[in-house]
Amino acid sequence: MSTEEAPLFHHPDRNLALELVRATEAAAIRAVPWIGKGDKNAADKAAVDAMRAFLATVDFDGVIVIGEGEKDEAPMLFNGEHVGSGKGPACDIAVDPIDGTSLTAAGRSHALSVLAVSDRGTMLDASSVFYMDKIVAGPEGHGVIDIERPVGDNIRAYAKAIGKDIEEMRIAVLDRPRHTQLIADIRATGAGTRLILDGDVAGGINAARRGTRIDMCIGVGGSPEGITTACAVKALGGFMQGRLAPKDEAERERGIAAGLDIDAVLSIEDMVRGDNTFFVATGVTDGALVNGVKREGPIIRTESVVLRSKSGTLRRIEAEHLVEKWLDDEHL
């Protein structure tokens, strides 16, 4: 009998994301009663409470590196909070119980519940600077795109790399006044824009995936969303660069005091190191990445994506939940 060690693929290890998806499913389901009700804080609170409760059941030792609030602003999941059972792998966590609270409150599409995980000590804590300038594309972007080049040069170079005419290119951008010139510059190349109302995580992921209607995602969005997106893009083999964008001199100084290189171009490896990242997202409302929560009689349907960089996989999970198990929420 051979004594040679079996190939690595004969020794599957634990995909933590397949357990964490229960937390994003719960957060998405609990946010449903607040869709279109105009109260984004109530929606966020419902999602946070559900996510925290389900995270406590997962065997891992998680520390939130990127959360939405501080401890004295509970019930938000705060930076430095420990989650999980305390047993199992030590992990960094980026969490956004609802990416798109305004979308949820307005009843608009593309709201998600999101978790990203990496090994302990590998996730950049950029929380002292709220905004980040980002550019995301597919694998062909490596060695082709540079965030320091004019946007038109990047679009033309990437279009050539993927074999598309400029007129066919579609660039996702957050619809914000700060992007007025950026949008004009994109359109001046002949490319079209896909304007995002809120939450650019899904836009970044779709830019990194093959076969979507988005070729690139460009512009200034939240730095927490940037780090979260990096975990997903790494699993897809996509391209991403970022650069911190402090809104004023005081925030710039806070970033420097926290040890951040404000002017550096951040590669995806700077944002999250190593090759063991997980990303989980469940749809709250319908979007291009996943469908939102739907109730059909006694059944609640959810759709989620689960990505892992170590295996390079994207899984879609469609789940059916019995309404009777959620009856403690009278609004469902």
Side-chain angles (χ1 to χ4, degrees):
M1 183 174 67
S2 173
T3 59
E4 290 185 17
E5 187 176 350
L8 179 62
F9 58 78
H10 287 171
H11 298 283
D13 56 352
R14 179 182 176 205
N15 189 338
L16 188 62
L18 294 176
E19 300 169 58
L20 293 172
V21 72
R22 295 168 55 242
T24 56
E25 287 174 346
I29 289 171
R30 290 301 189 195
V32 166
W34 303 103
I35 294 174
K37 300 296 179 62
D39 191 342
K40 67 179 185 178
N41 292 329
D44 211 21
K45 181 183 183 303
V48 166
D49 290 346
M51 182 172 281
R52 178 180 277 119
F54 274 78
L55 285 176
T57 69
V58 180
D59 281 338
F60 77 125
D61 177 14
V63 173
I64 295 177
V65 174
I66 297 172
E68 286 193 299
E70 301 301 329
K71 188 171 184 177
D72 59 359
E73 296 176 351
M76 308 305 289
L77 285 152
F78 59 88
N79 295 347
E81 180 175 354
H82 283 258
V83 294
S85 69
K87 304 173 183 177
C91 301
D92 288 345
I93 310 290
V95 57
D96 198 346
I98 303 180
D99 178 44
T101 52
S102 296
L103 298 177
T104 302
R108 295 192 175 108
S109 58
H110 302 293
L112 303 170
S113 179
V114 174
L115 274 171
V117 180
S118 64
D119 294 335
R120 178 69 52 81
T122 60
M123 192 178 288
L124 178 67
D125 180 1
S127 58
S128 55
V129 178
F130 187 77
Y131 287 112
M132 178 187 290
D133 192 8
K134 296 167 260 186
I135 186 164
V136 187
E140 297 87 352
H142 293 283
V144 172
I145 296 171
D146 186 338
I147 198 171
E148 295 191 300
R149 295 170 63 192
V151 65
D153 290 353
N154 280 322
I155 292 172
R156 284 185 284 270
Y158 188 61
K160 182 178 180 180
I162 62 175
K164 268 193 172 185
D165 292 335
I166 291 288
E167 291 73 17
E168 296 179 294
M169 296 289 287
R170 296 295 176 264
I171 316 300
V173 185
L174 277 169
D175 189 6
R176 297 290 186 273
R178 63 178 177 266
H179 288 150
T180 299
Q181 186 59 52
L182 174 62
I183 292 168
D185 291 344
I186 291 169
R187 291 173 176 169
T189 69
T193 55
R194 288 291 181 267
L195 299 184
I196 304 170
L197 291 175
D198 196 12
D200 59 352
V201 174
I205 293 171
N206 280 326
R209 292 174 59 215
R210 299 182 187 277
T212 73
R213 296 180 179 179
I214 293 175
D215 299 298
M216 303 170 73
C217 186
I218 304 176
V220 176
S223 58
E225 287 84 354
I227 306 303
T228 302
T229 302
C231 290
V233 173
K234 180 167 275 198
L236 294 166
F239 171 85
M240 182 173 181
Q241 283 182 335
R243 185 167 47 196
L244 295 170
K247 63 180 182 292
D248 53 35
E249 189 59 32
E251 189 175 63
R252 181 182 180 87
E253 292 302 318
R254 282 197 300 274
I256 292 171
L260 298 172
D261 188 342
I262 302 298
D263 299 315
V265 172
L266 301 172
S267 69
I268 198 167
E269 193 67 22
D270 294 321
M271 296 182 219
V272 56
R273 300 191 308 277
D275 192 31
N276 194 32
T277 66
F278 304 87
F279 175 89
V280 183
T282 299
V284 177
T285 58
D286 287 347
L289 184 63
V290 284
N291 290 319
V293 180
K294 292 180 175 61
R295 177 171 174 176
E296 299 175 1
I299 298 295
I300 301 168
R301 299 184 187 276
T302 59
E303 184 179 11
S304 307
V305 289
V306 173
L307 295 91
R308 187 184 187 189
S309 64
K310 191 171 185 179
S311 56
T313 52
L314 182 153
R315 292 180 171 89
R316 290 190 176 273
I317 298 178
E318 297 181 3
E320 296 182 359
H321 314 259
L322 289 175
V323 171
E324 65 187 58
K325 301 297 183 181
W326 297 85
L327 285 180
D328 56 313
D329 190 330
E330 63 183 10
H331 297 288
L332 279 174

